[in-house]
Amino acid sequence: MSRTHLCLMAIATLAASLAAAAAPPDGRPPPVCVNSFFNPNTPEYGTTRRLIELMAEDPSIRIVGWGGIQLPGAGGKAPLMMAIAGRTAPDIGESWFHIIRNEIRQGFLYPLNEWIGEDRNGDGQIGDDEAIWDGWKRVPPLWRQVATVDGKVYGIPQAEGYSLGVVFRTDLVRAAGLNPNQPPETWDELVRWCQKLTDPNRNVPGAPVGSGQRGIVLLPHSFMWLPWVQSAGGSPIVQNRKSPRTGLDYAFAPEATAFVTPDGEDLSDVTPEWRAQFASPEALAAAELYHRLHWMRWLPDPATGEPVNLSTQDVSRGWTMVGERRLSFQPAEVVRGVARGYPGQRGGDVFALLARGEVAMLTWFVSDLSSFGATVGINAQLLSWFPFPAGPGPKGRRVVQVQHHYIVSYEATGGKSKEERDRIWKTMTAIGDEAARDHAIRERVIGGLARFVNPRDLERLGYGEYLRDLPESIRRTYREMDEGLIQEFTEPWMGFWVTAGAALDAHVTGLLASGTSESLDYAAGLREVERQANSGLMFDTPRATLDRHRPVARVVFSAVVGFMAFLVFRMVRAQLKRSRSAASARSVFNPWFAWGLVMPAILLIGLWSYYPLARGMVMAFQDYHITGHSPFVGLDNFINLALDASFWRSLGRTAYFVFLNMCLAFCAPIVLAILLTEVPRGKIFYRTLFFLPQMTSGLVIALLWKLMYEPTPQGFFNQILALVNRLPFVEIGPQTWLQDPKLAMICCVLPTVWASMGMASLIYLAALHSVPPDFYEAADIDGAGIVAKLTRITLPSILPLIIINFVGTFIGTFQNMGSIFLLTFGGPGEATTVAGLRIWIEAYNNLRFSMATSMAWVLGSLLIGLTYFQIQFLSKVEYRRAQE
């Protein structure tokens, strides 16, 4: 049989296999692939149970779960986005309400108008008279607005929302002499509760020694800080609408659905301009509350037990006035703060902190408390909750943050048949219907969480017997929510809130929640984030600003291109000179044979290196979308980048990171190799000892060091400091290591030094053995000391190797971010956010690939220039073969 026949048979077999794999088994329709809502291994889950019922009701519908690579934390959405780009995404998924607009903009989602209705009057929304699906008429106006863009609806709200409030331990509250049925309604009352619930000297069973009990734990997430802003009467973003009649600007809250001015003018048809207000007086008050809870000075009154707040003057002089009574105290009696800092390391799980009694309160989703029982086994009967208390002043109000995520279908749905699309829609409506919500409520009731269910739902579903066990405060809270006395708010859903929220975490909330920066200028941080948010980070940079900077951008871009062309010209000219000098050597070989040998390597390098580089060059000048059209925007990305001060600061941190690595990770192997050559005995043992870390996984090393950096007194390095403190005249307190902005960077470098110097030292050891011993003997005769031998013989002898390693280490360090990614993810604040990590976050967290590519080109251009000069210097080094 000929090779042609074999190839044809192989192709036919492969095609048949693919067709068989694609064909539905038993002639049944293709399954509906669902992400997040369906897991056959947990049939008790509300939506899973509802979908099982749907398949029983309609045998034509088969539902399967979608699986993919999972990334932790903020990068959790990235695998799904990559699956969408690769056309392997599920049919149905979940879109968080504050990122659905971004996913719509990226072209990820399929519009649902064929089932919901069309925008016939051109107002950009689907009204009740235009809806053909009755379920749309039951969706509140705000949730319709979030998922609708230019008359296209891209998602339907999930059956059940998520409410965020303040969860507390009723037993700890009663033990402190407080009434759990009368929770705080103002910030001042909350502070008093925190003080009564704080006892730094209490020995908490199961907790680290000396941790004590604190009133509340503050989490570093910006979305958990927003309710405090809203309870002070503020709004994180506003929509400004300009009156066409008067020319005046009017600011409306983001959740507003009516836009009538005080003089009666309706501005509903005016296009809003969305702006961030992160530095408003209300936002500053919320940040000040965080700072106050961590750093306020106070002490319990020995006579009454009531907390007494102390001023700076009171602390310095050692007494204060309580009414007409003078209260004296010792410095050791002063209590600092009432909040527990969030360490984010071992022992830092908030559920475990609450379960052990290290804290009495925390902010969390009151409809998702099953995690408490699942992770730490806390009795739900010991838990209760209340809304965020009202802030100071006449604008203060009690609030609850409510989130409604969306059920969406991804863009590949548009390529399916009408029958397939209808099955997908039927599955979506089942996920979002009342039956799915009722299943979830029943699951919580059976799980002992009835007190976290709205009393109306308990009565409606026949669980009236649980109402008598429901605390009066919770019944009152739900009643006041229904009456509007407690207002409901949500996170920002316009603009890139994910990026702005990350900036708030880095500059303000993360540092405030850690409790490690008493002198933090949070007002300046809020102003900086607000400026960034309104200059491209959250909302697009105004066109006028871009136009103003275009002339300068063109000049700078032309200069950079000219400089790069000059470097290429120099390198090509140098190569041509070397080529002419080697002409005689080339004449010995057949040039076609040489090209044949190198062509596979050239093709592979071109495919995997230079093609992505060229593609990335194009992306930098686009508003790149993974799916759909990516329009060219010229130099806009680079202008936005030039205006982004945080990126330039990340370059400065990268230079500092490189400096530390070159001083430690690069120099340490040289020093170690020299020391190992002088070891009189056990050379093999010591070389093996230092080489062993090289055999360990980098992930294991990073996690190991993260445990040793634990900020509590029980942490490994803090225990070493405790031993050092026993020496006379030494007093170093426990350090917070990775949480300390001054120590975090060096803490990220040290694991790399420890793990990598063994291999590099062996290379230098081999080079040191090539140094003729006669040199050292002559130096001994001349009376040279160890310093003279080192500087005149040892280092000059291995200088070429040092220079070669320097170039490689320099380039690799600029691009390295692995240890930072695992240890701090850029924190605390932005103390360890290097350029490489910033590019990763911009691409895979924020899905702004064009901005990430622009950053990569700026970093790459700097590296190309620096590397060129290093190579020029390297070319002057003389290399000789080592002699035995």
Side-chain angles (χ1 to χ4, degrees):
M1 187 177 293
S2 67
R3 293 184 180 179
T4 303
H5 285 98
L6 289 174
C7 291
L8 290 175
M9 289 181 63
I11 293 173
T13 303
L14 178 61
S17 302
L18 293 175
D26 304 326
R28 298 173 62 188
V32 177
C33 187
V34 177
N35 183 32
S36 300
F37 302 109
F38 181 75
N39 185 353
N41 297 321
T42 56
E44 70 280 0
Y45 184 54
T47 55
T48 297
R49 183 180 299 181
R50 178 67 186 97
L51 293 180
I52 292 174
E53 293 175 351
L54 176 66
M55 288 188 284
E57 297 166 3
D58 188 347
S60 69
I61 296 178
R62 289 188 305 115
I63 299 171
V64 296
W66 180 82
I69 298 174
Q70 300 298 318
L71 290 179
K77 276 283 187 178
L80 179 60
M81 300 301 101
M82 297 302 99
I84 294 171
R87 313 291 289 184
T88 60
D91 299 310
I92 298 171
E94 176 186 45
S95 180
W96 303 331
F97 76 99
H98 57 277
I99 68 169
I100 188 171
R101 287 289 182 115
N102 189 15
E103 294 184 357
I104 294 170
R105 182 174 178 271
Q106 291 283 346
F108 292 158
L109 308 183
Y110 179 73
L112 309 175
N113 294 70
E114 62 181 287
W115 302 287
I116 292 178
E118 298 293 340
D119 175 27
R120 296 190 299 271
N121 60 12
D123 65 353
Q125 296 291 319
I126 310 299
D128 289 348
D129 57 333
E130 299 168 321
I132 59 176
W133 176 52
D134 289 337
W136 188 249
K137 301 175 184 179
R138 296 190 293 270
V139 177
L142 173 61
W143 304 112
R144 299 188 196 182
Q145 186 179 358
V146 171
T148 305
V149 175
D150 297 331
K152 299 295 183 182
V153 181
Y154 292 89
I156 57 176
Q158 293 182 21
E160 191 176 22
Y162 302 87
S163 298
L164 182 68
V166 183
V167 180
F168 65 93
R169 286 269 300 265
T170 56
D171 57 330
L172 297 181
V173 167
R174 289 193 181 94
L178 300 169
N179 185 353
N181 282 316
Q182 293 180 352
E185 296 189 356
T186 67
W187 285 5
D188 288 340
E189 293 177 9
L190 175 75
V191 172
R192 179 179 176 273
W193 261 48
C194 289
Q195 290 174 320
K196 297 285 286 184
L197 291 165
T198 295
D199 183 0
N201 300 316
R202 179 172 175 245
N203 184 18
V204 180
V209 177
S211 59
Q213 176 183 312
R214 293 282 170 172
I216 194 170
V217 58
L218 299 174
L219 299 182
H221 313 303
S222 54
F223 75 89
M224 289 190 173
W225 171 74
L226 292 181
W228 300 105
V229 179
Q230 292 156 341
S231 68
S235 179
I237 65 171
V238 294
Q239 44 178 320
N240 292 326
R241 295 176 182 253
K242 184 184 290 290
S243 168
R245 189 179 66 192
T246 63
L248 298 176
D249 285 326
Y250 294 91
F252 296 91
E255 64 274 1
T257 55
F259 307 99
V260 180
T261 65
D263 58 359
E265 183 181 7
D266 189 355
L267 302 181
S268 299
D269 296 331
V270 177
T271 302
E273 179 188 19
W274 293 83
R275 309 299 290 169
Q277 286 195 146
F278 299 142
S280 65
E282 296 81 11
L284 289 171
E288 193 278 333
L289 175 66
Y290 268 46
H291 190 271
R292 179 185 176 192
L293 291 174
H294 270 299
W295 300 103
M296 62 184 297
R297 298 321 197 256
W298 64 282
L299 77 162
D301 190 335
T304 64
E306 286 298 307
V308 178
N309 296 323
L310 303 174
S311 66
T312 303
Q313 182 181 7
D314 294 336
V315 174
S316 61
R317 69 190 180 189
W319 60 270
T320 188
M321 296 299 297
V322 180
E324 297 182 355
R325 175 167 54 93
R326 175 168 169 166
L327 174 62
S328 299
F329 52 86
Q330 298 297 319
E333 298 177 290
V334 177
V335 181
R336 191 199 72 184
V338 294
R340 163 70 183 262
Y342 181 69
Q345 292 180 249
R346 189 176 67 183
D349 182 88
V350 290
F351 304 146
L353 293 177
L354 191 69
R356 289 195 298 262
E358 289 186 63
V359 297
M361 295 184 289
L362 61 84
T363 54
W364 199 254
F365 296 100
V366 298
S367 54
D368 187 32
L369 290 178
S370 57
S371 7
F372 283 86
T375 57
V376 295
I378 188 172
N379 185 357
Q381 300 303 314
L382 299 178
L383 300 175
S384 187
W385 74 279
F386 57 87
F388 290 87
K395 297 171 67 177
R397 57 203 175 183
R398 289 183 295 155
V399 306
V400 171
Q401 187 182 103
V402 178
Q403 299 179 2
H404 265 286
H405 298 323
Y406 287 87
I407 308 160
V408 298
S409 185
Y410 297 106
E411 53 87 28
T413 300
K416 300 180 183 295
S417 66
K418 174 62 176 172
E419 291 77 12
E420 289 181 81
R421 297 201 304 273
D422 286 341
R423 283 192 291 270
I424 291 172
W425 169 250
K426 192 170 183 179
T427 305
M428 293 177 68
T429 55
I431 294 172
D433 65 15
E434 191 174 84
R437 183 187 65 183
D438 292 347
H439 283 318
I441 292 173
R442 292 188 182 97
E443 181 187 352
R444 287 210 301 276
V445 173
I446 294 173
L449 299 173
R451 63 174 55 201
F452 303 105
V453 176
N454 193 311
R456 287 189 289 103
D457 291 324
L458 289 176
E459 193 168 2
R460 178 175 60 83
L461 294 176
Y463 293 113
E465 68 272 16
Y466 289 94
L467 292 174
R468 62 176 177 269
D469 298 327
L470 204 63
E472 172 57 31
S473 63
I474 294 182
R475 290 201 298 268
R476 185 171 62 250
T477 294
Y478 280 112
R479 183 171 62 250
E480 292 177 346
M481 288 173 63
D482 293 337
E483 295 171 355
L485 299 176
I486 297 174
Q487 300 185 39
E488 298 180 6
F489 292 94
T490 188
E491 287 183 75
W493 46 272
M494 286 295 294
F496 290 99
W497 162 241
V498 175
T499 62
L504 280 171
D505 290 346
H507 289 281
V508 184
T509 58
L511 297 175
L512 286 172
S514 68
T516 59
S517 304
E518 183 175 8
S519 60
L520 175 68
D521 188 352
Y522 51 81
L526 289 173
R527 288 193 296 270
E528 171 63 16
V529 176
E530 181 180 289
R531 185 197 64 78
Q532 292 181 21
N534 292 324
S535 301
L537 185 67
M538 186 173 185
F539 299 109
D540 291 338
T541 304
R543 179 60 54 183
T545 302
L546 292 173
D547 292 339
R548 188 169 64 250
H549 291 90
R550 287 190 203 283
V552 176
R554 294 189 184 103
V555 172
V556 173
F557 180 74
S558 300
V560 172
V561 170
F563 178 70
M564 298 297 291
F566 170 74
L567 292 183
V568 172
F569 170 76
R570 290 284 303 272
M571 288 188 288
V572 171
R573 188 177 66 175
Q575 181 62 36
L576 290 176
K577 287 182 178 180
R578 284 194 292 270
S579 299
R580 284 193 294 269
S581 66
S584 59
R586 286 203 310 269
S587 63
V588 178
F589 302 99
N590 186 333
W592 294 108
F593 176 73
W595 277 108
L597 290 177
V598 301
M599 188 55 66
I602 292 175
L603 292 176
L604 289 175
I605 293 173
L607 177 63
W608 298 111
S609 296
Y610 288 102
Y611 173 74
L613 281 175
R615 191 71 185 87
M617 182 181 295
V618 175
M619 287 173 57
F621 300 94
Q622 291 177 314
D623 181 12
Y624 182 77
H625 298 159
I626 293 179
T627 61
H629 178 59
S630 299
F632 278 86
V633 294
L635 297 175
D636 288 4
N637 291 322
F638 291 98
I639 295 174
N640 285 321
L641 195 59
L643 298 176
D644 184 2
S646 63
F647 172 70
W648 300 108
R649 286 196 294 268
S650 72
L651 285 180
R653 287 186 216 99
T654 304
Y656 177 54
F657 178 66
V658 171
F659 172 76
L660 289 177
N661 267 280
M662 301 311 290
C663 290
L664 298 175
F666 177 72
C667 296
I670 301 175
V671 175
L672 178 61
I674 294 172
L675 293 176
L676 289 176
T677 59
E678 301 298 323
V679 173
R681 301 184 194 84
K683 292 185 178 182
I684 301 299
F685 169 77
Y686 287 112
R687 292 174 188 178
T688 304
L689 182 67
F690 284 104
F691 184 77
L692 280 178
Q694 191 76 40
M695 307 297 292
T696 309
S697 166
L699 176 63
V700 173
I701 290 172
L703 296 178
L704 174 66
W705 278 72
K706 191 170 185 177
L707 286 175
M708 293 192 294
Y709 282 135
E710 184 179 347
T712 66
Q714 283 67 43
F716 177 76
F717 288 124
N718 278 333
Q719 290 185 35
I720 292 178
L721 288 180
L723 295 176
V724 173
N725 284 336
R726 297 181 180 179
L727 299 175
F729 310 110
V730 176
E731 185 175 352
I732 305 175
Q735 302 297 310
T736 52
W737 305 112
L738 295 174
Q739 296 178 30
D740 189 337
K742 298 177 181 177
L743 297 176
M745 188 68 84
I746 188 69
C747 288
C748 290
V749 172
L750 289 177
T752 304
V753 176
W754 176 78
S756 63
M757 65 179 178
M759 172 66 79
S761 66
L762 291 182
I763 297 174
Y764 287 116
L765 269 173
L768 288 173
H769 282 299
S770 69
V771 181
D774 298 345
F775 291 179
Y776 293 109
E777 294 175 2
D780 288 334
I781 295 173
D782 293 339
I786 186 171
V787 175
K789 293 178 184 178
L790 183 66
T791 57
R792 300 295 181 88
I793 300 175
T794 305
L795 292 180
S797 300
I798 62 172
L799 183 60
L801 179 61
I802 292 175
I803 295 175
I804 293 173
N805 284 345
F806 180 88
V807 174
T809 304
F810 184 85
I811 297 173
T813 304
F814 252 102
Q815 299 171 338
N816 180 38
M817 60 148 187
S819 60
I820 292 176
F821 186 93
L822 293 169
L823 292 174
T824 64
F825 201 70
E830 287 189 333
T832 58
T833 304
V834 294
L837 180 62
R838 177 70 188 276
I839 293 169
W840 192 96
I841 291 172
E842 199 68 24
Y844 297 106
N845 280 16
N846 304 338
L847 302 179
R848 301 203 299 180
F849 295 96
S850 293
M851 285 298 296
T853 307
S854 302
M855 293 177 182
W857 271 105
V858 171
L859 181 62
S861 299
L862 292 174
L863 276 177
I864 289 172
L866 292 172
T867 304
Y868 172 77
F869 290 110
Q870 291 177 17
I871 292 176
Q872 289 294 104
F873 176 75
L874 195 62
S875 64
K876 300 176 183 179
V877 177
E878 180 183 356
Y879 299 94
R880 290 178 296 178
R881 184 170 63 88
Q883 300 293 330
E884 294 294 338

